[in-house]
Amino acid sequence: MYSFVADQVLGINGLINLSNIVFLVAFSARGVLTLRVLAIVGEGLTLPYYYFQDDKLWPPIFWGAAFMMVNAIRVVAIFLERRPVVLSDREERLYQVAFSSIDKREFLRLVSLARWTDCSPGEVILKKGQHISEAIVVIAGELEAILGNNTRMALRPGQLIGDVSAYSGLASPVDIVAPGPGTLASWDLQHVREFTASRPELRANLLRIVSADLAVKLRDVTTAGPGLAAERIASK
């Protein structure tokens, strides 16, 4: 009995028993990373068992090594995905003023498609009737939307230019000018649609941002007076 127990614990059979204990712990783990690391350890313990048999068992050795490699690749990928997201100063500012509701890692992928623009005082960003092919966000400075009768509405950092018109591909109903220096981030709408096509959660978040921005503008024009509100709402 003693020799049997010793063989199961200390002998070559001990490796396979220890391996199964590790697998049992792995399948009990709640975290994917812990499960994969323990799976690598457990699979590694089985390889000597197969190798030191009288007739080496090459098929399970090969497949065990393959499983270890796949799990190792996924472990590295998980570590890379969990690294802290580092944003540049202007990316951080854009994130804070407009996209703080989006996961930073998704935002980093989205901002990689952005085009950054510095505008000078008096520059016309969009002309009335111009087709809107880009989604534009104000990062710094202020822009103005010039409505009928030379009425102006300020667009502050974090606000979107065009709103519904941009996302529906319509022409701009107003002139957008920069009264002073400012910084903008813009995305080609077609690229945004393609990028979010396989990311429904991100697309939903972007639509919520657009809706919130429009709600703020509606609130602003409502407080400005019924006549002006009607004019500005029509211009959206």
Side-chain angles (χ1 to χ4, degrees):
M1 183 65 179
Y2 173 78
S3 61
F4 173 77
V5 173
D7 180 62
Q8 296 301 311
V9 175
L10 302 176
I12 190 69
N13 289 332
L15 288 175
I16 202 69
N17 289 324
L18 179 59
S19 170
N20 281 287
I21 292 173
V22 172
F23 278 126
L24 183 63
V25 175
F27 292 134
S28 301
R30 302 181 66 177
V32 174
L33 179 60
T34 303
L35 186 150
R36 289 191 178 276
V37 170
L38 290 176
I40 293 173
V41 174
E43 200 67 56
L45 291 172
T46 66
L47 300 186
Y49 175 82
Y50 296 132
Y51 184 81
F52 289 111
Q53 297 297 317
D54 293 337
D55 293 324
K56 294 179 177 59
L57 304 176
W58 290 110
I61 291 174
F62 170 80
W63 286 110
F67 289 139
M68 291 175 65
M69 184 178 299
V70 170
N71 276 309
I73 292 173
R74 292 306 307 156
V75 166
V76 172
I78 291 172
F79 271 118
L80 293 177
E81 290 171 358
R82 294 184 179 182
R83 287 184 305 171
V85 177
V86 179
L87 302 176
S88 66
D89 290 341
R90 65 182 182 180
E91 289 172 345
E92 182 65 34
R93 180 172 177 79
L94 175 60
Y95 179 77
Q96 293 299 330
V97 299
F99 296 101
S100 57
S101 62
I102 295 178
D103 176 76
K104 273 195 173 184
R105 205 167 301 279
E106 285 287 354
F107 169 74
L108 193 60
R109 297 188 183 101
L110 178 65
V111 82
S112 67
L113 304 175
R115 181 171 61 87
W116 306 88
T117 304
D118 292 322
C119 49
S120 55
E123 182 177 346
V124 178
I125 308 303
L126 280 176
K127 292 184 178 180
K128 185 175 181 179
Q130 179 181 342
H131 178 73
I132 302 176
S133 60
E134 294 183 320
I136 306 173
V137 179
V138 184
I139 303 175
E142 279 193 359
L143 301 184
E144 289 183 339
I146 303 178
L147 310 177
N149 299 321
N150 204 34
T151 302
R152 297 170 181 262
M153 183 175 69
L155 299 173
R156 295 173 291 276
Q159 291 190 297
L160 311 179
I161 296 175
D163 284 319
V164 177
S165 299
Y167 285 88
S168 58
L170 300 177
S172 174
V174 295
D175 290 320
I176 306 292
V177 298
T183 304
L184 310 175
S186 59
W187 289 262
D188 183 276
L189 287 173
Q190 184 59 36
H191 291 167
V192 173
R193 294 188 188 99
E194 293 172 357
F195 180 76
T196 58
S198 59
R199 296 173 171 85
E201 184 175 351
L202 176 61
R203 184 169 63 248
N205 280 329
L206 292 177
L207 289 175
R208 279 193 288 270
I209 290 171
V210 172
S211 298
D213 181 78
L214 183 58
V216 170
K217 290 186 174 73
L218 288 173
R219 182 195 63 195
D220 291 344
V221 297
T222 299
T223 58
L228 179 58
E231 180 184 16
R232 289 181 176 176
I233 291 172
S235 70
K236 294 289 189 266

